[in-house]
Amino acid sequence: MKQLTILFGILTFLAFPVLAAEEAFVFDDPAKQKIFLELTQELRCPQCQNQNIADSDAMIAHDLRRKVYELLQQGKSRQEVVDFMKARYGDFVSYKPPVTPLTVWLWLLPPLFVLIALGVVFSRRKKQTEDFDEAVLAKADSLLEKDK
Amino acid sequence: MRKVTIFMIPLTMFVVLSIFLYKGLYSDPRQLDSSLINQPLPPFSLPDLMQPEVTHTPDVFKGDVTLMNVWGVWCVTCAVELPYLTQLREEQGVRIVGLYYDQDTDPDFGIKSIPTIQKEVEVKLGQLGNPYAFNIFDVKRDYSLDLGVTGAPETFLIDKQGVVRMHHIGDINPRVWNNKIAPLYNQLVAE
């Protein structure tokens, strides 16, 4: 049993380098490597929508990954790469939508709902305490007395 | 009266949400507005597919209204539209220029040789008809990327000044041509 566990452990570690070697985009600068990984997560594949270009195997995703790599190697900044893609594929290509009069609701609506809900809850609670019925309370008290 | 308004709030919210989602049912997520519309074509300098020693630049679009058709022999839908495009060329004299790119040509390795690709193209066009005045060979698929091409077939309607006026994703068939492209095409030709 113990041998099996050790074997399993060894196999697990053997598998990791295989994953890493899937596609070789080598960077000298680890900072650039990090930006590359972030960008391929954040950019959306225009062909297989709902996949980012890191996940997608469509040809366009391959091409976009290669382009991101090229641009970063040329010393372009993260924002410059995003702008490059947006100029060609529109805002759609980024999973981070820009703030426009239309999209601003994405951020405004959730807090707005929370505020409205809180408002409703508080106003109701206040009304309940105001509408307190003395007669009902007296009746309840007498019932409790009887039970004793 | 107060009760009515309280019941109206969820009802209106429901109606608004329903309309929003109902519209979503019929919206086509592939219908993306090209950022190239009313912009001149991005600069390029690419070889001709059949005569690689000839180099094309955006100047080839000056003076004529042109359909630039992005295609490849590996693309099934392109084969479907080739006969109709050929018909458009022969019957209406539409100038169609191909932007050819190959799937198997890895920019870093180049698996397929140019003569092989030329042979494939000749066979395909011999079978289905040749609508193209000539084909621009997008060797590394860089230009397709500049154009915002997501796949094939895609077609750009380019006016006499070399400005992109329409970007159509998908095949061109009689319905698409008559309803979507022909009105603007005729208007551009008349200009």
Side-chain angles (χ1 to χ4, degrees):
Chain A
M1 188 60 210
K2 200 175 177 186
Q3 279 167 333
L4 202 71
T5 319
I6 291 171
L7 184 73
F8 189 74
I10 291 172
L11 282 178
T12 313
F13 279 100
L14 276 179
F16 273 112
V18 178
L19 273 178
E22 190 237 327
E23 197 159 20
F25 286 115
V26 188
F27 289 90
D28 299 329
D29 185 357
K32 276 185 186 173
Q33 173 94 44
K34 192 166 164 272
I35 296 177
F36 177 78
L37 290 177
E38 282 171 9
L39 275 175
T40 51
Q41 295 282 336
E42 186 188 309
L43 293 172
R44 188 200 305 220
C45 167
Q47 180 67 38
C48 357
Q49 307 184 344
N50 298 341
Q51 272 191 310
N52 58 34
I53 61 171
D55 285 343
S56 174
D57 196 38
M59 186 170 62
I60 179 85
H62 281 280
D63 288 353
L64 289 185
R65 281 200 293 267
R66 204 179 60 248
K67 200 73 190 178
V68 170
Y69 178 75
E70 269 175 33
L71 291 173
L72 287 177
Q73 289 296 58
Q74 284 167 22
K76 295 273 196 304
S77 74
R78 182 197 166 88
Q79 192 54 44
E80 279 170 329
V81 176
V82 173
D83 290 344
F84 177 93
M85 293 301 173
K86 278 189 179 174
R88 282 156 183 77
Y89 290 94
D91 288 337
F92 174 87
V93 80
S94 172
Y95 269 119
K96 284 194 181 151
V99 183
T100 68
L102 193 74
T103 58
V104 76
W105 294 105
L106 291 172
W107 288 273
L108 284 188
L109 271 183
L112 214 65
F113 269 120
V114 171
L115 283 181
I116 290 172
L118 281 178
V120 169
V121 166
F122 276 113
S123 68
R124 285 216 162 174
R125 181 167 290 176
K126 225 178 183 178
K127 216 167 71 190
Q128 262 180 2
T129 43
E130 278 167 4
D131 290 355
F132 209 67
D133 199 333
E134 289 294 337
V136 175
L137 188 70
K139 203 178 168 190
D141 274 343
S142 67
L143 280 173
L144 281 171
E145 284 298 316
K146 265 186 202 166
D147 270 359
K148 267 181 186 170
Chain B
M1 190 57 214
R2 223 186 104 76
K3 267 208 164 139
V4 175
T5 45
I6 282 187
F7 281 113
M8 283 305 279
I9 292 171
L11 185 69
T12 32
M13 278 167 75
F14 174 74
V15 169
V16 168
L17 194 68
S18 304
I19 294 172
F20 179 73
L21 293 176
Y22 183 80
K23 279 179 85 176
L25 273 182
Y26 296 98
S27 81
D28 181 1
R30 300 203 171 269
Q31 209 69 53
L32 302 174
D33 289 334
S34 171
S35 25
L36 263 183
I37 301 296
N38 295 329
Q39 302 284 325
L41 278 171
F44 67 91
S45 174
L46 290 167
D48 189 274
L49 179 63
M50 291 306 171
Q51 298 160 286
E53 63 280 2
V54 178
T55 306
H56 296 298
T57 62
D59 288 340
V60 296
F61 295 104
K62 297 262 160 75
D64 277 308
V65 180
T66 313
L67 288 184
M68 182 167 69
N69 181 244
V70 184
W71 76 293
V73 291
W74 44 269
C75 152
V76 181
T77 318
C78 302
V80 173
E81 71 172 355
L82 272 178
Y84 185 65
L85 288 178
T86 310
Q87 197 185 327
L88 282 181
R89 178 193 195 174
E90 284 166 358
E91 289 173 8
Q92 303 191 31
V94 180
R95 181 178 188 244
I96 303 173
V97 169
L99 181 71
Y100 191 88
Y101 72 88
D102 205 279
Q103 214 169 16
D104 297 331
T105 320
D106 191 305
D108 299 325
F109 300 104
I111 298 165
K112 244 187 222 175
S113 70
I114 291 182
T116 321
I117 296 173
Q118 287 173 342
K119 190 82 207 152
E120 284 177 351
V121 169
E122 268 171 14
V123 170
K124 184 68 96 183
L125 295 181
Q127 286 167 346
L128 297 169
N130 182 1
Y132 303 111
F134 56 88
N135 273 283
I136 301 165
F137 187 26
D138 188 10
V139 190
K140 292 186 169 182
R141 299 196 292 267
D142 272 351
Y143 196 55
S144 304
L145 213 148
D146 283 344
L147 291 171
V149 168
T150 62
E154 291 190 14
T155 303
F156 294 86
L157 178 57
I158 298 159
D159 71 10
K160 291 174 185 169
Q161 283 77 44
V163 175
V164 178
R165 301 300 286 265
M166 187 186 279
H167 179 188
H168 175 71
I169 296 179
D171 68 320
I172 293 183
N173 49 45
R175 186 174 46 83
V176 169
W177 174 256
N178 289 325
N179 295 337
K180 186 177 173 185
I181 303 176
L184 185 58
Y185 173 82
N186 290 329
Q187 184 196 323
L188 291 178
V189 169
E191 264 174 17

